[in-house]
Amino acid sequence: MHKITMLGAGLIGMFYTMVLHGNRSRDHVNVIYSRSADRAKQFAADWDIPNYTTDMAAAINDPETDVVVIGLPNSMHEEAVALAAKAGKAILCTKPLGRSATEAKRMLEIVEKAGVFAGYLEDLVYTPKTLKAIKSTRNGALGKVLWARSRETHPGPHSDWFWNKEMSGGGAIIDMGCHCIEISRNFIGKEVRPMEVMCWADTQVHPIEAEDSAVGLVKYASGAIGQFEVSWTFRGGMDLRDEVSGTEGTIWLNHWLRTGMDMFTAKGEQGYVAEKAEGETGWLFPVGDEVGALGYVEMFNDMLNSLDRYSADKNSQPMETFYDGYVVNAIMDAAYRSIESKRWEPVILDDWRGSNDADSGAQMSEYDADHFLIKEEKMPDGKTKLILKEKAGGKIVQKVF
Amino acid sequence: MHKITMLGAGLIGMFYTMVLHGNRSRDHVNVIYSRSADRAKQFAADWDIPNYTTDMAAAINDPETDVVVIGLPNSMHEEAVALAAKAGKAILCTKPLGRSATEAKRMLEIVEKAGVFAGYLEDLVYTPKTLKAIKSTRNGALGKVLWARSRETHPGPHSDWFWNKEMSGGGAIIDMGCHCIEISRNFIGKEVRPMEVMCWADTQVHPIEAEDSAVGLVKYASGAIGQFEVSWTFRGGMDLRDEVSGTEGTIWLNHWLRTGMDMFTAKGEQGYVAEKAEGETGWLFPVGDEVGALGYVEMFNDMLNSLDRYSADKNSQPMETFYDGYVVNAIMDAAYRSIESKRWEPVILDDWRGSNDADSGAQMSEYDADHFLIKEEKMPDGKTKLILKEKAGGKIVQKVF
Amino acid sequence: MHKITMLGAGLIGMFYTMVLHGNRSRDHVNVIYSRSADRAKQFAADWDIPNYTTDMAAAINDPETDVVVIGLPNSMHEEAVALAAKAGKAILCTKPLGRSATEAKRMLEIVEKAGVFAGYLEDLVYTPKTLKAIKSTRNGALGKVLWARSRETHPGPHSDWFWNKEMSGGGAIIDMGCHCIEISRNFIGKEVRPMEVMCWADTQVHPIEAEDSAVGLVKYASGAIGQFEVSWTFRGGMDLRDEVSGTEGTIWLNHWLRTGMDMFTAKGEQGYVAEKAEGETGWLFPVGDEVGALGYVEMFNDMLNSLDRYSADKNSQPMETFYDGYVVNAIMDAAYRSIESKRWEPVILDDWRGSNDADSGAQMSEYDADHFLIKEEKMPDGKTKLILKEKAGGKIVQKVF
Amino acid sequence: MHKITMLGAGLIGMFYTMVLHGNRSRDHVNVIYSRSADRAKQFAADWDIPNYTTDMAAAINDPETDVVVIGLPNSMHEEAVALAAKAGKAILCTKPLGRSATEAKRMLEIVEKAGVFAGYLEDLVYTPKTLKAIKSTRNGALGKVLWARSRETHPGPHSDWFWNKEMSGGGAIIDMGCHCIEISRNFIGKEVRPMEVMCWADTQVHPIEAEDSAVGLVKYASGAIGQFEVSWTFRGGMDLRDEVSGTEGTIWLNHWLRTGMDMFTAKGEQGYVAEKAEGETGWLFPVGDEVGALGYVEMFNDMLNSLDRYSADKNSQPMETFYDGYVVNAIMDAAYRSIESKRWEPVILDDWRGSNDADSGAQMSEYDADHFLIKEEKMPDGKTKLILKEKAGGKIVQKVF
């Protein structure tokens, strides 16, 4: 079992604590830190936490805890990581790791130098659907992955600091693009190098400095494309969908608004419907197990199980590491540069630990000695049509039989 | 924390153990009993269980365990309950409680007489979607519940004993009707008395004695109808859906084949796709978190949390009790009688602990001093049409404006 | 081309006329009859109809028209049929044909005696989805049909006369059960004799005499079950779904609330959303082509194309005939008797033109010389499990490999 | 009524003819032209067409026809348009209008100079769902449109010439991007000027010269983004979806694989399932009315009804004109340039007939005298949280109550 220092008493700290304490868990939060004494006190009372404080260093150095969970605004991640590494504790940091690749790389170096266990709390990679889809993809059900779209849009975040570019490091991209990019990386393969990024972004609706909408394309060495779509302007709730396609198949995931529970109510009920729901009457689409569907449960299972193994085996790593957080930041940096330059921008990775192979382009599929097969199709009249390419000369012909 | 005696090493024992050990749980199975020594030994090895045995009494009387989980064929429930009650242990028994209301009532009396904690492992009531839907219904989102349909169909159960009427007590009704009936009871209200049952059943496909398909209607004192549909003949996977409608709203739940994950694969992957899936290629509909979606996680949370409170408060009960199991058996008994008599049959409950109020029939809604309102509708031409009933004389008239 | 007498200027007359004139049609309504001169005049103006009248006989005897379409309240069908038959015109009558089988049979006899072409305007059998599903079923995609559920529920009909038992002949069953019953007949096979009916009905919500909700089971000679669910109490719009299952497959049809068009609007737009929609904001589910999705387009294509062939071949019949209308009425009569008697009631068909074969019960599938196969299943551990029945003795055993 | 010259006896000619003759239409194809005499003869026999020929000019100059429908490979459009314009006939040309904006502009000039009626057969804009969605959008249900995604992907086209860059003018963009671009234009507003395009494309799978996958972004003067996704590499059937979001709402359209008809078949049926379906067993998603769902029915209704009005009013135009075809070609040209230059490329429109207003950027929404409102949200604890921006200084603050 683990006793945990929780840094941050906002919505994310609440979700984390709910999950860490849930399901008859043997782990427990031992101290909660918040910048506000009132919130810290209330949070401790709400969640049965023995200690609270407004002194971050004291929380981290609590002699009973062995794990520090960072659920703070982005601008405070690095300081918290440094203090926790110094204390020799396991560190689990929320997404995004940094506000830039430079900041993320410093955090990566701090934990590696200190030799402490570190996990990157990228929850949406851990939703049960995503885990199952990644496994099927790894097992070859889709063949070679060609394209992975990940979309997260809703009417805007909960807390003021998200909307403040200085504290967050950006807008919708830094808030949600990090999820989408890492989901695509998991489908395409983390060993495949991200090469370059093209991104559009704009401030379409809200009176803020940062972007409230963005669409980006990430080109990988394999020829695959990762596509991210993020927005704080979406109406209708929270749209959380992924699509992957490969040479042999397709996966569609819908995490929030269409998960098999539809409710019409003319009357409504009092209170909360679902995260970022709009409206309380009419057709609603609640999610049964919200924290499960968002990946929090499997994420902390993996983090703490990996940590348990770590004492015996220093190679034990969670599925999502600080290195992954750094790669994601590097891709987001390229996206922000592309918005300015209006062209594809290279992903700059000083420290690339994956493969350098390129493997893109069409695969020739032989039909017979003289032809490549382009396509085979069943027609409305019951016949089969083949589209073939002559090996000699490259002429395209069709056969029907 | 609890140490558990697990009775039964079949698929249900495996699901139970997986869940009891999952999510960094503080509870653990300490001994596994199976009729087959080989299976007991293998199960213990697979699930990290310190002890195994083919002696049921020895398993139950294991001095370290305080909870007995019964995952045995229906014909063995009563014996196991009796032994566990004698040992003074908490008892959690799988569904259906008995093969008949008489048998179930004996089990209820055994545990109540012994004063032991007892829970009825009706998992499908505990799916996160069902729990949320029940809560919304209780909160009034649907108004008064009028109808609750619950459907469970698939190509047939896993183990030979299900197909043996002597061991199971029946066919598709006893296997799955118990789920559907209890789901409807939760929506309609457990305090509302089930009055009578009309049921059709047949052996449509499989060469067995028991029914492989059934549709039943349960009429409640409130006027609400619970509808169950069960079959071992369904093709396409496992169809697990609930629908509820009330005076103010509607809920549709789909637990299995359409939960937001669609996969097309031309190639397939090796091995298991999902419980009762048919086929490994083409369009498949995997469920991300199968044991969560089937209610096992929330069920054991409730059972063991209730048990924890029970030491201090003997009134602490789980959501699903042996009494509920008994009511379900009484409804299934009436269904079986109706199949024979071809008419509505009363539900015989010697021991009714709910309300005896009836509350059925139409609610008059006043439109003005002279009229009741039947209906108000927006027409294609943009006008509003009212259908009214004159208080004096009862004539039905319409007004458009 | 045909010139048409349209009887009835209500919603159904409007839909019919819209469709008859639509799609660059060569057919046209030549005279509109309504009980109200104002409505007749307005209707003629709205739909470019040269003549209008409040004299039904005059409308029917219009010398230019060769087809009479009956879109009147149920209580007026027989009179209209008699007049049109006397005029020697082709007759297309809306659903239900009669208020009882007796009335329907008289209408059937009238048209057969007069030797005029007659079609039964059962539109929901003609939806493009239903037609395609019937074709697949006929082609064997589902194997032998075992069960066909058809559901039509909404908050109640448009016009006052529907709510008046005298004029309509009943409540939700007569209004919508006729659709559901005929849809099931088409899936199960029109040649298969309907044997008996069990039906529950109640007046759950509206202050009316007739039933506002009903669920019925129709047992066919093949062992198949047709299930109908109708209600005027449903909230959330119009729920129009069919489900069919057979030994080899399953079909699910959703005609209205989930057809691939989802709209969220915080603001709404002025006016009509969709037939029987509730609410103008929030999540809405419009249907693109409403009259197409309700089957009107294909219905009139079939009716008028069949009529064109009829001049050369007196055996040319539309897919839905007055005989079908009569069978449907006979099934509804049995349903109404069952509500009273609370038992299964026989379907009384003095004039049965289908097959008298029975073909129910389980099909034995041989596994090897000594066993029948009950079931084969892929297990989570990748193994295959067989459930077998020993031919000698009937014992049920399982094999895993 | 119209008599029609049909040019092209391939799949598209067949769909066009089926629709023109369908639904008891008063219009008819009078002559079919094909490059192959055999196909022309067979086509005439199959579709009851009195004349066939391999002489395109003769077909166009058929003295009985007043409309020429062009369903030929892209490389033959211009020649056919020139001949038909010379003959003074109404011209309906399939998509894309040209292989480039230059070619399209020449065709536009030919018809405008000749003063003949001309329509652009962009069918997917005419699907009943799209028409309804466009209408709701125009009525303000979505507020200001911010983003419109249109996706068309499948395993590749039917005929050899599509795969030949010379004949088609490109790959997946020219084949399907034209649909997607015009769908987005209809949602965003045709009067809004398309400004610049960023596009990725690659030949990921097939051994061809042209692109088999592409994703593009089109930036409009209003700040809205049109996003197109096309591919000939998709597995699982034909993926035809549109999504639109605006300041007040969202629309999701699914035209093909999820339209409310699901079929599981273990056995299959002989023959054709649906356009570009893969596989004949397992879960299939047939479309009831394929030609309706693809927009052909409404397209020809609009074209021919507009033509009927044209004789009286030379301003009568169909919804989709040659000018629209030209704009689409200009956007595709920019997309192809962007693929090469790897940067945003301007859309070059020598002849712009829409508005030149720009109207992009955030809309300030006042909360009170001192603050703008950024966002209002209901929290899980039932409280409401406001995110505000101080008018003086721009600081972002939150209030909870």
Side-chain angles (χ1 to χ4, degrees), chain C residues 105 193 326 348-352:
Chain C
K105 190 140 173 275
R193 187 165 186 148
Y326 159 65
I348 300 172
L349 284 166
D350 301 333
D351 179 2
W352 172 241

Side-chain angles (χ1 to χ4, degrees), chain D residues 209-231:
Chain D
E209 268 173 86
E211 74 284 357
D212 58 15
S213 295
V215 179
L217 301 176
V218 184
K219 189 163 181 182
Y220 285 83
S222 66
I225 287 289
Q227 176 174 322
F228 62 88
E229 299 173 18
V230 292
S231 182

Side-chain angles (χ1 to χ4, degrees), chain B residues 11 14-15 39 144-147 149 151 154-161 163-165 196 198-209 212-213 215-217 219 223-225 227 229 233-236 239 241 243-250 252 254 257-258 271-277 280 338 341-344 360-365 372-375 377-382 385 387 389 396-398, chain C residues 11 14-15 39 144-147 149 151 154-161 163-165 196 198-209 212-213 215-217 219 223-225 227 229 233-236 239 241 243-250 252 254 257-258 271-277 280 338 341-344 360-365 372-375 377-382 385 387 389 396-398:
Chain B
L11 198 72
M14 189 196 80
F15 274 132
R39 272 191 287 154
K144 183 187 168 185
V145 174
L146 301 171
W147 175 76
R149 176 210 196 198
R151 176 172 174 84
H154 56 60
H158 308 278
S159 292
D160 48 4
W161 70 263
W163 302 87
N164 177 323
K165 201 171 179 171
E196 49 183 1
M198 160 62 210
C199 188
W200 161 84
D202 204 349
T203 308
Q204 291 187 305
V205 169
H206 300 293
I208 56 170
E209 269 173 85
D212 59 14
S213 293
V215 179
L217 301 176
K219 188 164 180 180
I225 287 289
Q227 176 174 322
E229 298 174 17
T233 72
F234 181 77
R235 300 304 303 270
D239 185 17
R241 282 178 294 158
E243 302 180 21
V244 194
S245 66
T247 51
E248 302 290 341
T250 298
W252 293 336
N254 197 332
L257 285 170
R258 297 291 185 278
Y272 179 71
V273 177
E275 196 185 336
K276 299 188 177 70
E280 299 182 10
S338 170
S341 71
K342 302 190 72 176
R343 51 162 69 236
W344 289 88
S360 64
Q363 314 295 316
M364 294 292 170
S365 167
F372 293 118
L373 174 66
I374 297 184
K375 182 161 175 280
E377 184 176 7
K378 173 80 85 176
M379 304 302 287
D381 59 6
K385 185 186 266 191
I387 309 284
K389 182 177 195 165
I396 291 166
V397 295
Q398 64 188 38
Chain C
L11 199 71
M14 188 196 80
F15 276 132
R39 272 190 288 153
K144 183 187 167 186
V145 173
L146 301 171
W147 174 77
R149 176 211 196 197
R151 176 172 174 83
H154 56 60
H158 307 279
S159 290
D160 49 4
W161 69 264
W163 302 87
N164 177 324
K165 203 171 176 169
E196 49 183 1
M198 160 62 213
C199 187
W200 161 84
D202 203 351
T203 308
Q204 291 188 305
V205 169
H206 300 293
I208 56 172
E209 269 174 86
D212 58 14
S213 295
V215 179
L217 301 177
K219 187 165 180 178
I225 287 289
Q227 176 175 320
E229 298 174 18
T233 72
F234 181 78
R235 301 302 304 271
D239 185 16
R241 281 178 295 159
E243 302 180 22
V244 195
S245 65
T247 51
E248 304 288 341
T250 298
W252 291 337
N254 197 331
L257 285 169
R258 298 291 185 277
Y272 180 68
V273 176
E275 194 185 337
K276 300 189 174 67
E280 299 182 8
S338 170
S341 71
K342 300 190 72 175
R343 50 162 70 235
W344 288 89
S360 64
Q363 314 295 316
M364 293 292 168
S365 167
F372 293 118
L373 175 66
I374 298 184
K375 182 163 176 278
E377 184 176 8
K378 173 79 86 176
M379 305 301 289
D381 58 7
K385 187 186 265 190
I387 308 284
K389 182 176 194 166
I396 290 167
V397 294
Q398 66 188 37

Side-chain angles (χ1 to χ4, degrees), chain B residues 4 24 58 122 124 156 189 204 229 270 277 323 353 365 379:
Chain B
I4 297 157
R24 302 190 55 73
E122 167 41 63
L124 289 180
Q204 291 187 305
E229 298 174 17
Q270 299 316 99
Y323 181 74
R353 301 178 181 180
S365 167
M379 304 302 287

Side-chain angles (χ1 to χ4, degrees), chain D residues 12 45 76 81 100 108 112 140 152 201 206 224 245 255 302 310 314 380 390 393-394:
Chain D
I12 197 69
M76 298 172 72
V81 166
S100 66
L108 172 63
E112 296 195 336
E152 179 170 354
H206 299 295
S245 66
H255 300 282
D302 178 43
Y310 185 75
K314 296 296 174 204
E390 294 176 5

Side-chain angles (χ1 to χ4, degrees), chain B residues 26-161:
Chain B
R26 56 186 188 264
D27 309 304
H28 205 85
V29 175
N30 199 57
V31 55
I32 173 74
Y33 155 79
S34 170
R35 289 162 291 168
S36 145
D38 282 356
R39 272 191 287 154
K41 187 176 175 185
Q42 184 62 48
F43 195 99
D46 288 349
W47 298 101
D48 187 26
I49 297 173
N51 310 293
Y52 65 90
T53 177
T54 59
D55 178 340
M56 185 161 73
I60 289 171
N61 290 307
D62 179 306
E64 291 190 78
T65 68
D66 66 330
V67 178
V68 175
V69 174
I70 301 171
L72 298 166
N74 303 343
S75 56
M76 298 171 73
H77 291 187
E78 186 175 1
E79 181 193 355
V81 165
L83 285 168
K86 199 171 156 199
K89 300 200 172 178
I91 306 173
L92 307 180
C93 183
T94 194
K95 62 86 209 171
L97 186 57
R99 287 170 297 177
S100 67
T102 312
E103 197 174 70
K105 190 141 175 274
R106 285 199 302 265
M107 287 187 254
L108 173 63
E109 287 164 356
I110 288 169
V111 299
E112 294 195 338
K113 210 163 151 189
V116 294
F117 179 91
Y120 174 50
L121 298 178
E122 167 41 63
D123 53 288
L124 289 180
V125 159
Y126 285 101
T127 82
K129 285 173 188 167
T130 310
L131 290 176
K132 189 163 264 190
I134 292 169
K135 189 162 165 259
S136 291
T137 306
R138 291 281 83 82
N139 286 348
L142 306 195
K144 183 187 168 185
V145 174
L146 301 171
W147 175 76
R149 176 210 196 198
S150 181
R151 176 172 174 84
E152 179 171 353
T153 66
H154 56 60
H158 308 278
S159 292
D160 48 4
W161 70 263

Side-chain angles (χ1 to χ4, degrees), chain C residues 241-357:
Chain C
R241 281 178 295 159
D242 308 312
E243 302 180 22
V244 195
S245 65
T247 51
E248 304 288 341
T250 298
I251 291 177
W252 291 337
L253 303 180
N254 197 331
H255 300 284
W256 212 248
L257 285 169
R258 298 291 185 277
T259 63
M261 180 166 181
D262 301 14
M263 177 164 80
F264 177 88
T265 171
K267 212 176 161 182
E269 39 182 324
Q270 298 316 100
Y272 180 68
V273 176
E275 194 185 337
K276 300 189 174 67
E278 293 199 89
E280 299 182 8
T281 58
W283 280 106
L284 306 172
F285 300 90
V287 173
D289 172 16
E290 294 199 9
V291 293
L294 292 172
Y296 295 120
V297 176
E298 295 295 338
M299 179 176 74
F300 281 114
N301 284 344
D302 178 44
M303 292 292 164
L304 297 176
N305 290 337
S306 300
L307 174 57
D308 288 347
R309 288 189 296 268
Y310 185 75
S311 56
D313 171 12
K314 295 297 173 203
N315 290 317
S316 168
Q317 292 285 323
M319 181 172 148
E320 291 290 317
T321 66
F322 271 33
Y323 182 74
D324 293 311
Y326 159 65
V327 174
V328 169
N329 268 124
I331 293 173
M332 292 195 293
D333 283 359
Y336 279 114
R337 291 200 312 276
S338 170
I339 295 163
E340 296 304 316
S341 71
K342 300 190 72 175
R343 50 162 70 235
W344 288 89
E345 289 286 348
V347 178
I348 300 172
L349 284 166
D350 301 333
D351 179 2
W352 172 241
R353 302 177 182 180
S355 160
N356 282 305
D357 294 350

